[in-house]
Amino acid sequence: METVLSINQLTKTFGRITAVNKLDLEVKKGQVFGFLGPNGSGKTTTLGMLMGVVNPTSGSFSWFGQTVTNETRKKIGAVLEHPIFYPYLSGQKNLELTAMIKGAPADHIARVLDVVELTSRKDDAYKTYSLGMKQRLAIASALLNDPIVLILDEPTNGLDPMGIAEIRNIIKKIAADGKTIILASHLLDEVQKVCSHFAVLRRGVLMHSGAVDEVGKGEETVEVAAYHDDLGFVLQEFAGTLSLKRDSASMVVKLKEGYNSQDVNRFLYEKGIVVSHLVTQKKSLEKQFLEILAEADSIKK
Amino acid sequence: MLHLLQVDLKKLFNYRTFWIICGLYFLTLGMATASGMEFLKWLASTFKDFGSKLNIERIPLYHFPDVWQNLAWGSGLLKMMLGIMVIISITNEYQYRTIRQNIIDGMSREQFILSKLLTNLVLSLASMVLVFVVALITGFIYSPEISFPYMFAGVEFCASYFLEVFAFLSFALMLGILIQRSGLSIVILFSSYLIELIIKKNIDDYVPGLIPFFPLESIMNLVPLPFARYAFQEIQDYVSFGSVAIALGWTFLFNYFGYLRLKKSDI
């Protein structure tokens, strides 16, 4: 697959603090790439370097396999941190200005305003907008020039649940068009819902990078309950049991690789136990994320 | 180039403060330069001495070719208003962080500063054109006789007035980029005259040859004070090549320092 972004040993130091440390990363065409990390882990600094507003201390990166100029940036739609616009200009005028800078045709403006559903407020001054509208205008401005790549940095920050759902739908719509999206966030749930790939950054160091699909793989954990007093003992006899834990009304069974909830159910039925409750606990990105961070901590110690 | 100018003007033309400051500036500039005779009449009626010693009708304030230098000098006093406008325009970009978004959207840092420089150029040109027109009209009204080549003797003061405004706006732009806060930049713009004056007075006795090389001094020297000639003193009634060279040098440096700072900083 075509490489859209390639980062090579990218480093940024602010005085004694190393914000980004020898980062290597590749993003391929069509990926929805989640860029994860706790607050202050260097996500925005990295994106700032990629978009030419932060000067790298060392290392390099290339977009679309070419050396980067300001012309490259016109093909990328990016919103870093907060939406930034001229507060005294209307949404429409702000987009006109962005279109001038990007060299985008003026007739795109009406279309992107429609995508983010801001058409009815386009002539009001930006400073009168609510936070959600500001975020949506930022996405509209990022979409103006039909970008090949879209970079969104915490696009749902500070939004109410409805706003979050709206932005998520917009992102999904854009991703369905085959655009490459880089989404920085600390909301893991968010990333799991929309991303195909992800990378975890911590204190400027890349901890992990891979596909989101692979997160759920590996050993499974099953929650079982039945009206049977010896459920725990019986489960211990099951060949696939790795470990067992009592959790209020049910038993939590961690399975060996190759076993799943069906095997548990069949085993118990053969033993004459009918389960009343059987749930596979899907391993979430959140868990994986915390595990990655915990691993990093233990290595450090 | 024209595109960059359009981008910056679009930011300003929809900004009410811009219209207020620039409106006041050009209005004041036009009215003040045209009402010099009224000012003299006021002086004569207020100070008895002034009126009795001098016949104001005989002061050739608006006569060709004196009018060029007189108006160019007087107009130079008002450039502070434009300087404040330039500072507001650049520090707004830092305060709203729109400079960051402009670059993310695909401007290079060179293009960004160039867009501001082009606006400075337009403001300086507009000032020059206005002063030229007022000088031409008042010259025709007040001059007792008008002879063609003679009336334009000294018109080069319009050009040096243009450089005076442009150099000063370059200084203001640099301050805005270095300081990034509007209030502080404006205070420093005002006090830089005072600071330079104190330094000049302190080194006056030791190295007087250095004085013309000071930045604000060099800007002031572009159009020398003309009015002493009406008290029968000798004045410099030409644009000196040295002053122009020094002022051009500073103009280049102001813009270069601004560019350097912008290039190196994370925004």
Side-chain angles (χ1 to χ4, degrees):
Chain A
M1 237 192 299
E2 225 177 296
T3 302
V4 166
L5 167 67
S6 156
I7 302 178
N8 183 17
Q9 295 285 297
L10 198 62
T11 303
K12 177 68 187 180
T13 55
F14 295 108
R16 283 187 4 249
I17 299 156
T18 305
V20 178
N21 196 353
K22 293 183 181 154
L23 183 68
D24 288 308
L25 207 61
E26 282 222 334
V27 177
K28 306 264 188 214
K29 197 173 174 196
Q31 287 183 346
V32 180
F33 198 94
F35 202 36
L36 304 178
N39 288 332
S41 57
K43 298 182 303 260
T44 301
T45 307
T46 304
L47 297 178
M49 287 192 275
L50 298 178
M51 292 314 290
V53 288
V54 176
N55 295 315
T57 308
S58 65
S60 64
F61 59 90
S62 68
W63 283 105
F64 320 114
Q66 298 162 350
T67 22
V68 176
T69 65
N70 63 302
E71 292 298 323
T72 319
R73 292 200 291 276
K74 293 183 183 173
K75 293 182 236 165
I76 304 166
V79 184
L80 303 191
E81 283 176 305
H82 327 281
I84 300 175
F85 291 100
Y86 294 87
Y88 54 86
L89 293 182
S90 66
Q92 167 83 20
K93 285 258 158 58
N94 266 305
L95 290 187
E96 283 172 13
L97 196 58
T98 311
M100 275 173 90
I101 292 173
K102 282 183 172 287
D107 55 341
H108 282 188
I109 294 171
R111 203 190 63 207
V112 294
L113 278 171
D114 242 16
V115 171
V116 298
E117 291 163 16
L118 269 181
T119 309
S120 59
R121 290 292 303 271
K122 72 186 167 78
D123 292 321
D124 295 332
Y126 172 74
K127 61 184 165 202
T128 66
Y129 285 10
S130 72
L131 183 59
M133 292 165 70
K134 287 176 178 175
Q135 306 262 33
R136 267 150 46 201
L137 187 67
I139 292 179
S141 102
L143 289 174
L144 256 182
N145 206 19
D146 268 330
I148 308 172
V149 184
L150 198 62
I151 297 181
L152 302 172
D153 187 6
E154 309 283 4
T156 55
N157 227 357
L159 294 187
D160 56 17
M162 249 175 66
I164 291 176
E166 268 172 32
I167 299 267
R168 184 187 301 143
N169 282 335
I170 293 173
I171 294 172
K172 279 184 172 163
K173 231 193 278 177
I174 298 162
D177 287 347
K179 286 202 162 67
T180 310
I181 301 178
I182 298 174
L183 176 69
S185 181
H186 54 240
L187 300 175
L188 303 150
D189 194 36
E190 201 56 49
V191 171
Q192 188 158 29
K193 280 189 179 122
V194 296
C195 291
S196 64
H197 293 74
F198 75 109
V200 180
L201 202 64
R202 185 174 170 279
R203 290 193 199 145
V205 182
L206 184 69
M207 311 303 316
H208 180 90
S209 133
V212 171
D213 291 347
E214 281 160 26
V215 168
K217 289 185 181 154
E219 63 261 29
E220 235 174 64
T221 304
V222 181
E223 219 177 284
V224 198
Y227 301 109
H228 195 283
D229 295 335
D230 294 331
L231 183 65
F233 287 112
V234 178
L235 276 172
Q236 219 134 41
E237 287 167 28
F238 178 51
T241 305
L242 192 67
S243 65
L244 202 59
K245 210 167 62 185
R246 178 171 287 281
D247 179 23
S248 61
S250 58
M251 302 294 299
V252 179
V253 192
K254 208 171 188 177
L255 297 176
K256 290 178 187 165
E257 261 196 77
Y259 289 90
N260 59 29
S261 53
Q262 288 181 37
D263 301 322
V264 178
N265 198 5
R266 192 177 302 119
F267 172 77
L268 288 175
Y269 191 74
E270 280 163 7
K271 289 280 175 190
I273 301 172
V274 179
V275 299
S276 59
H277 173 85
L278 184 72
V279 176
T280 309
Q281 287 185 351
K282 215 172 171 186
K283 197 168 176 185
S284 68
L285 192 57
E286 185 166 333
K287 254 188 186 155
Q288 171 110 0
F289 176 73
L290 292 174
E291 271 170 29
I292 290 167
L293 292 186
E295 258 170 55
D297 271 339
S298 64
I299 292 165
K300 218 166 185 184
K301 279 164 196 162
Chain B
M1 286 282 257
L2 191 64
H3 175 250
L4 293 175
L5 178 65
Q6 283 170 341
V7 167
D8 200 51
L9 289 184
K10 189 168 179 75
K11 296 172 188 172
L12 293 174
F13 280 0
N14 292 288
Y15 186 41
R16 195 180 301 144
T17 310
F18 172 80
W19 288 111
I20 294 173
I21 294 185
C22 280
L24 278 176
Y25 168 75
F26 285 107
L27 205 68
T28 318
L29 187 62
M31 306 244 284
T33 46
S35 47
M37 288 315 286
E38 297 305 313
F39 179 65
L40 285 182
K41 279 181 201 157
W42 175 78
L43 277 183
S45 67
T46 314
F47 304 102
K48 288 277 175 299
D49 258 14
F50 189 86
S52 58
K53 277 187 186 159
L54 279 166
N55 180 0
I56 54 163
E57 296 301 328
R58 292 180 59 187
I59 297 178
L61 197 59
Y62 285 112
H63 294 191
F64 287 127
D66 282 18
V67 65
W68 301 114
Q69 187 176 0
N70 290 350
L71 290 203
W73 188 88
S75 309
L77 298 176
L78 293 170
K79 61 183 183 290
M80 185 59 84
M81 288 169 80
L82 275 191
I84 291 172
M85 186 58 238
V86 167
I87 283 184
I88 292 175
S89 153
I90 179 73
T91 52
N92 268 354
E93 304 269 5
Y94 283 100
Q95 194 204 327
Y96 304 147
R97 306 194 74 195
T98 39
I99 178 171
R100 184 178 159 92
Q101 193 63 39
N102 283 174
I103 288 172
I104 288 172
D105 285 339
M107 260 190 170
S108 68
R109 290 166 202 232
E110 291 83 353
Q111 286 173 338
F112 181 84
I113 200 164
L114 199 58
S115 79
K116 294 285 170 200
L117 251 173
L118 288 170
T119 301
N120 284 358
L121 205 63
V122 167
L123 291 174
S124 313
L125 271 174
S127 304
M128 183 186 79
V129 169
L130 183 63
V131 169
F132 176 83
V133 169
V134 172
L136 204 60
I137 295 172
T138 52
F140 272 119
I141 294 173
Y142 291 103
S143 295
E145 53 181 321
I146 292 157
S147 59
F148 178 67
Y150 178 71
M151 66 183 264
F152 284 113
V155 77
E156 66 268 21
F157 278 109
C158 278
S160 64
Y161 164 70
F162 162 76
L163 179 59
E164 177 186 346
V165 176
F166 185 65
F168 183 73
L169 296 188
S170 300
F171 178 59
L173 181 63
M174 178 192 74
L175 283 183
I177 291 176
L178 295 184
I179 299 165
Q180 300 181 7
R181 286 182 190 82
S182 59
L184 192 58
S185 305
I186 291 170
V187 168
I188 290 184
L189 185 69
F190 273 99
S191 50
S192 52
Y193 277 99
L194 201 62
I195 296 164
E196 196 185 278
L197 187 69
I198 293 167
I199 299 174
K200 280 189 296 195
K201 286 295 166 210
N202 276 307
I203 66 160
D204 208 354
D205 296 335
Y206 312 103
V207 275
L210 268 185
I211 301 289
F213 290 94
F214 277 84
L216 296 173
E217 174 78 22
S218 78
I219 294 174
M220 279 191 275
N221 286 342
L222 286 169
V223 183
L225 180 72
F227 303 118
R229 62 182 158 196
Y230 303 129
F232 306 108
Q233 289 174 17
E234 200 153 316
I235 59 142
Q236 182 195 324
D237 59 357
Y238 55 91
V239 179
S240 103
F241 177 75
S243 309
V244 171
I246 296 170
L248 275 176
W250 277 113
T251 307
F252 172 77
L253 283 179
F254 292 148
N255 290 313
Y256 184 67
F257 289 150
Y259 166 71
L260 220 57
R261 169 65 193 263
L262 192 60
K263 180 116 195 128
K264 288 200 170 144
S265 59
D266 299 328
I267 42 185

